Amino acid sequence: MTHRRRLVAGLTLPFGLLATASLLSGAILPANAATQAANAAALPANAAALAPGAESTKASTAATADPVWGITRHAHPLLSTDPVGYDVDLRAFGRMVGDATVVGVGEATHNSHEFFTQKHRLFRYLVREKGFTTFALEGSWSTGLALDRYVVHGIGNPREIMRREFQSAYTFWKVQEYAELIEWMRSYNQTHARKLHFVGNDVGYAGPNVIDNVTQYVARTRPALLAEFTRHYAGIRSDAEVQAWTDAYYTKSLAERLRIKAETEQALALLAKFPASAERTWAIQHARVIAQVAAMFAFDVDDPTVLPKAMKFRDQAMADNTAWWAHTTGAKVLLSAHNGHIAYESGMPAIYEKVQGAFLRETLGDRYLSVGTSFDRGSFNAFPSDEPGAPLRRFTVASAGAASNEFTLDRVPFRDYYVDLRKLPQTTRAWLSVERPTRMIGSSYPFPDASQALASSYDVMIHLNTITAANRLP
């Protein structure tokens, strides 16, 4: 199996296919005092004029045109990326979210501690202050079902589920940071009537649980058709774990994979003829995801002309599954994925013609909010792009180059901060509307920077000065 096929097989990891004003008052005690101290020390002498929303009549034309000046005036310092502690610094973030029902929060690398814990922190805040109830991950739908059973009902061992499900390219999610998020969600549900849910929206694997959900529904409602559904799913159902399932599936010929795709589509079409009911609504969604997985694996991704079509299909499927969950359950969703997926514009259009964020904006309008992330320096885990088949490795990068978006974002005099790109001065937005080199570190590294125009790609940016590699579970 080629390196490209090995990574596409997991389909979790984008860009690896080729290889507050409150701080100024000192009125709060943050969870991360070191970060607050660094932010406070970084405040310029005219900090009051630079505070979010403040106006300065003394700003020169040159200063106003400087993107650093414009960003600094509207930036809100982050006191911590730790999910435990005070969250008064997130009040402005809540205002930015507004009435959005799906908030896509990105990550500039797929395996850094601070990106994961920051999402956990934002989710806790949105649960508490904005009524969010769902954490959706760039993971398979069937994995989400297994973890949701634990989160809602306490069924299963979450770390064993993670060990079994987060394999192949999904191994990036097998980290202590996600284990702590999942365990917190279970703890929350034990003391609250309004339940939190964990959802996977991706199409890189179809576990036996999602297929059995469909066949068990058929057995209860139209038992005479059970044999037919069992036959339709025979080529895709397996009790093997993710890595073994993926490897085995790619040993099938392209013709066989196309045949299985057709079988799953026939099952979906047949299910649509069942009498309407709430139970059928869920069975159809399960069957739709199975068909999506079969369709994804029916692309000949070794053909470079086909690869962009496969990636577009995948992003649309993830968007459709997320929107379906939000619409069907009425839940507000934090969607966790790579920057390249939650954006409105692709930084690598030759491979990713249209991404999940663009599809969600078309479906949800301004009820979708895109939050990008960036960093100046630090470490992460990734597959070595120059060593096909090698295991994950820890990489460390120095500060970004002077031509990059990250270089300018890091010149803002706060260690960590977030800013609403929609509210920036016209000259600042104009600067941020130009494509510049931007780190898009996904499944493999080294990997070339993307070319990204931040202002047209995201609504909000979170910038962290330094990141560290995530803590992988055994």
Side-chain angles (χ1 to χ4, degrees), residues 25 86 93 182 187 199 209 212 235 293 332 407 428 431 471:
S25 68
Y86 295 91
F93 181 77
I182 292 164
S187 177
V199 171
N209 58 336
D212 292 348
V293 174
K332 292 183 178 182
F407 178 83
T428 307
W431 192 94
N471 298 295

Side-chain angles (χ1 to χ4, degrees), residues 213-255:
N213 280 348
V214 176
T215 55
Q216 289 167 8
Y217 164 73
V218 172
R220 289 193 302 273
T221 58
R222 303 284 293 275
L225 295 176
L226 178 59
E228 183 173 353
F229 275 86
T230 301
R231 184 177 68 254
H232 286 317
Y233 290 140
I236 196 170
R237 192 197 182 286
S238 170
D239 290 323
E241 293 186 354
V242 177
Q243 183 68 64
W245 181 92
T246 302
D247 292 344
Y249 206 90
Y250 265 127
T251 64
K252 303 177 189 293
S253 68
L254 180 59

Side-chain angles (χ1 to χ4, degrees), residues 210-211 213-215 217-218 222 225-236 259-274 280 282-292 294:
V210 68
I211 297 171
N213 280 348
V214 176
T215 55
Y217 164 73
V218 172
R222 303 284 293 275
L225 295 176
L226 178 59
E228 183 173 353
F229 275 86
T230 301
R231 184 177 68 254
H232 286 317
Y233 290 140
I236 196 170
R259 186 194 67 77
I260 295 171
K261 171 179 177 288
E263 293 279 1
T264 61
E265 290 171 346
Q266 290 175 36
L268 177 60
L270 183 58
L271 204 61
K273 298 177 182 179
F274 282 40
R280 188 195 73 159
W282 285 89
I284 287 179
Q285 172 59 15
H286 296 322
R288 183 182 297 116
V289 170
I290 298 165
Q292 288 171 342

Side-chain angles (χ1 to χ4, degrees), residues 289-420:
V289 170
I290 298 165
Q292 288 171 342
V293 174
M296 188 71 236
F297 279 81
F299 284 100
D300 183 7
V301 294
D302 286 328
D303 182 343
T305 66
V306 173
L307 183 59
K309 299 175 184 177
M311 294 301 96
K312 183 178 179 180
F313 173 84
R314 178 200 174 206
D315 271 84
Q316 180 164 13
M318 291 193 296
D320 289 347
N321 292 334
T322 302
W324 181 90
W325 178 274
H327 173 75
T328 304
T329 67
K332 292 183 178 182
V333 181
L334 186 150
L335 169 62
S336 173
H338 195 280
N339 277 351
H341 286 304
I342 58 92
Y344 297 123
E345 295 183 355
S346 172
M348 299 178 128
I351 306 173
Y352 299 90
E353 175 186 340
K354 186 174 181 179
V355 293
Q356 181 177 193
F359 287 113
L360 284 171
R361 173 49 64 94
E362 288 179 354
T363 302
L364 301 175
D366 59 9
R367 290 183 294 121
Y368 174 70
L369 184 84
S370 175
V371 182
T373 63
S374 62
F375 72 103
D376 180 60
R377 63 179 73 92
S379 60
F380 51 89
N381 299 308
F383 290 112
S385 59
D386 53 357
E387 298 180 38
L392 283 180
R393 181 180 302 168
R394 183 178 180 272
F395 292 90
T396 300
V397 295
S399 294
S404 68
N405 276 314
E406 291 87 353
F407 178 83
T408 295
L409 293 175
D410 204 61
R411 287 171 57 210
V412 171
F414 300 116
R415 184 181 188 277
D416 302 331
Y417 66 90
Y418 60 97
V419 61
D420 192 334

